[in-house]
């Protein structure tokens, strides 16, 4: 390699290091867009909008337009919004929605706005600063940041609990839309279904709405189900999945086992096994199945979520197909298959026999 090639390679490396160093700026710009409800303003406006028009609709008596212009410049660069060329040839810049900003709408049925707000909240950002310390000495990043695990923190902090539940509810709608449309026969033969770690019941409500013959049991910690809304066909039950799980024809868990280490998962799975019949009992998981090469539309998100588990949970992690098969076998489920969805997650169907 010649000196020119070496110089260019070093320069590329420096550029990439700078970009990685300030990658958080993308998240903060995205969070700001959600907090300012910029997508909502554009959507309600109904047509491309000028900067002064956008500023006038922000919830503020004196919005700073130069600051907004700088924020919009970055959001446009990242493809979150787009610049619209006026047909009359005017000089004033007009902004419009893109396929990304549609996911930022607060009142849309399918929205990532609550998830963006909670993941970029100071409470969930703080543990990320302890990853290297965990590598050096072990321990749990969230506990190092806050003095307790995330579930205890949520039970003691109603504001965080509400933010977290809203985020889980919004992702439940997204995942369940894909699940119901791509797992059409999966719930036909089930008369009763318990959603373990079901939060406020959003995911289960989508299943029961599509399969009204199912008796739904939404099972979660008492402080979680205490905020759950009344929903026809669903019974809310408070308890601890490490102690026992309500009996049903099938157990459903969405995005639960990735919160825990292997030992805890095996205990949960054994309780799931006890909750369902030996014959025809079924476990349905919705989880990320990590692809090391990231060769799909979601790219490296499996690995990113694995670091989210590192930062936020007590030993949780994302798992490969081989790791899932081994874990389920240890938990008493000897027959399993993975069903791909057009989503970040896959369906893992498991049977005791």
């Amino acid at each position: 390699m010649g000196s020119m090639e070496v110089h260019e390679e070093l320069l590329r490396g420096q550029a990439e290091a700078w970009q990685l160093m300030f990658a958080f700026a993308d998240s903060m710009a995205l969070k700001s867009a959600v907090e300012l409800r910029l997508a909502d303003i554009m959507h309600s406006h109904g047509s491309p909008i000028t900067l002064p028009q956008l500023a006038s609709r922000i919830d503020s008596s004196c919005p700073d337009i130069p600051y907004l212009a700088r924020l919009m410049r970055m959001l446009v660069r990242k493809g979150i919004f787009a610049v619209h060329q006026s047909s009359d040839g005017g000089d004033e810049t007009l902004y419009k929605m893109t396929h990304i900003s549609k996911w930022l709408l607060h009142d849309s049925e399918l929205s990532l706005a609550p998830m963006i707000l909670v993941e970029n909240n100071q409470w969930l950002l703080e543990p990320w600063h302890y990853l290297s310390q965990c590598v050096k000495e072990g321990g749990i990043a969230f506990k190092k940041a806050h003095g307790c695990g995330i579930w205890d923190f949520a039970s003691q902090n109603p504001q965080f609990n509400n933010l977290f539940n809203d985020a889980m509810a919004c992702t439940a709608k997204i995942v369940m839309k894909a699940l119901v449309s791509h797992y059409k026969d999966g719930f036909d033969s089930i008369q009763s279904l318990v959603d373990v770690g079901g939060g406020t019941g959003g995911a289960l409500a989508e299943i029961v709405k599509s399969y009204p013959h199912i008796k739904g049991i939404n099972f979660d910690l008492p402080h979680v189900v205490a905020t759950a809304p009344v929903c026809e066909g669903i019974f809310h039950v408070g308890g601890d999945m490490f102690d026992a799980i309500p009996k049903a024809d099938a157990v459903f868990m969405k995005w639960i086992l990735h919160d825990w280490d292997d030992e805890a998962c095996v205990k949960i799975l054994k309780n799931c096994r006890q909750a369902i019949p030996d014959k025809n009992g079924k476990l349905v998981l919705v989880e990320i199945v990590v692809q090391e090469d990231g060769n799909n539309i979601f790219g490296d998100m499996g690995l990113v979520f694995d670091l989210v588990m590192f930062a936020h949970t007590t030993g949780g992690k994302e798992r490969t197909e081989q790791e899932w098969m081994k874990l389920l076998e240890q938990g008493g489920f000897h027959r399993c298959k993975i069903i791909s969805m057009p989503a970040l997650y896959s369906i893992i169907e498991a049977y005791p026999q």
Side-chain angles (χ1 to χ4, degrees):
M1 185 180 291
S3 59
M4 181 65 71
E5 287 83 358
V6 170
H7 175 74
E8 289 179 354
E9 186 179 62
L10 283 172
L11 191 61
R12 283 196 303 273
Q14 182 192 155
E16 290 172 12
W18 279 106
Q19 289 167 6
L20 289 168
M21 187 191 314
F22 288 102
F24 68 88
D26 293 349
S27 297
M28 293 299 103
L30 185 66
K31 177 189 178 186
S32 297
V34 173
E35 290 177 328
L36 293 169
R37 293 180 172 260
L38 300 181
D40 300 271
I41 293 170
M42 289 187 196
H43 181 70
S44 63
H45 187 70
S47 60
I49 190 170
T50 67
L51 197 67
Q53 288 173 328
L54 188 61
S56 70
R57 289 165 172 79
I58 290 174
D59 184 20
S60 169
S61 59
C62 52
D64 190 303
I65 293 182
Y67 279 162
L68 178 61
R70 291 160 68 182
L71 180 62
M72 289 301 297
R73 179 173 58 183
M74 184 63 166
L75 293 170
V76 168
R77 175 65 64 89
K78 293 299 176 178
I80 297 167
F81 298 112
V83 171
H84 176 78
Q85 299 301 324
S86 176
S87 59
D88 61 9
D91 294 332
E92 194 164 24
T93 301
L94 297 171
Y95 298 95
K96 63 180 181 179
M97 303 270 288
T98 69
H99 63 294
I100 299 176
S101 50
K102 290 177 182 177
W103 289 95
L104 310 187
L105 295 169
H106 284 78
D107 298 326
S108 175
E109 182 183 359
L110 298 180
S111 172
L112 283 170
M115 190 68 168
I116 292 167
L117 292 178
V118 77
E119 288 296 339
N120 292 285
N121 183 281
Q122 60 182 2
W123 289 315
L124 286 188
L125 289 176
E126 184 65 23
W128 287 91
H129 295 283
Y130 291 85
L131 299 192
S132 59
Q133 188 175 332
C134 288
V135 170
K136 289 179 180 179
E137 60 190 34
I140 305 300
F142 197 94
K143 287 184 179 180
K144 291 179 183 293
H146 297 295
C148 63
I150 190 169
W151 310 121
D152 288 337
F153 186 81
S155 68
Q156 299 162 13
N157 187 326
Q159 184 181 356
F160 174 75
N161 187 52
N162 290 335
L163 279 172
F164 187 84
N165 286 342
D166 287 346
M168 294 303 99
C170 88
T171 58
K173 289 180 181 178
I174 294 168
V175 173
M176 295 313 298
K177 184 176 178 64
L179 177 72
V180 169
S181 63
H182 288 83
Y183 192 55
K184 293 181 179 178
D185 301 327
F187 299 110
D188 282 342
S189 61
I190 295 171
Q191 298 301 313
S192 59
L193 178 69
V194 56
D195 185 356
V196 176
T200 56
L204 189 58
E206 292 297 316
I207 295 174
V208 171
K209 184 167 65 176
S210 298
Y211 300 88
H213 68 277
I214 292 178
K215 171 192 172 185
I217 304 168
N218 181 53
F219 181 67
D220 211 313
L221 295 169
H223 76 269
V224 176
V225 297
T227 64
V230 175
C231 184
E232 185 176 355
I234 293 177
F235 299 89
H236 298 291
V237 178
D240 190 332
M241 62 188 174
F242 289 102
D243 295 332
I245 291 170
K247 292 189 180 299
D249 293 337
V251 170
F252 177 76
M253 286 194 287
K254 178 190 72 67
W255 209 2
I256 299 300
L257 294 182
H258 75 166
D259 288 333
W260 304 95
D261 62 23
D262 289 352
E263 182 180 354
C265 284
V266 169
K267 187 170 184 179
I268 296 167
L269 287 168
K270 287 182 176 179
N271 285 342
C272 290
R273 175 66 187 83
Q274 292 296 316
I276 61 176
D278 292 335
K279 185 178 181 181
N280 299 323
K282 181 164 70 171
L283 171 68
V284 180
L285 304 177
V286 177
E287 292 279 3
I288 288 175
V289 179
V290 172
Q291 299 178 15
E292 299 285 0
D293 59 3
N295 188 24
N296 61 36
I297 193 171
F298 290 98
D300 295 331
M301 285 310 301
L303 301 180
V304 171
F305 265 88
D306 186 51
L307 289 185
V308 173
M309 297 302 102
F310 184 177
H312 294 165
T313 69
T314 306
K317 62 180 181 179
E318 304 297 352
R319 296 172 170 89
T320 64
E321 180 175 349
Q322 291 73 24
E323 289 171 327
W324 277 118
M325 296 300 103
K326 180 180 178 181
L327 195 67
L328 288 161
E329 178 73 25
Q330 292 173 339
F333 293 88
H334 308 296
R335 185 161 56 92
C336 313
K337 69 175 179 178
I338 293 176
I339 304 169
S340 296
M341 289 196 297
L344 180 58
Y345 315 99
S346 296
I347 300 167
I348 305 174
E349 199 176 59
Y351 300 86
Q353 296 181 354

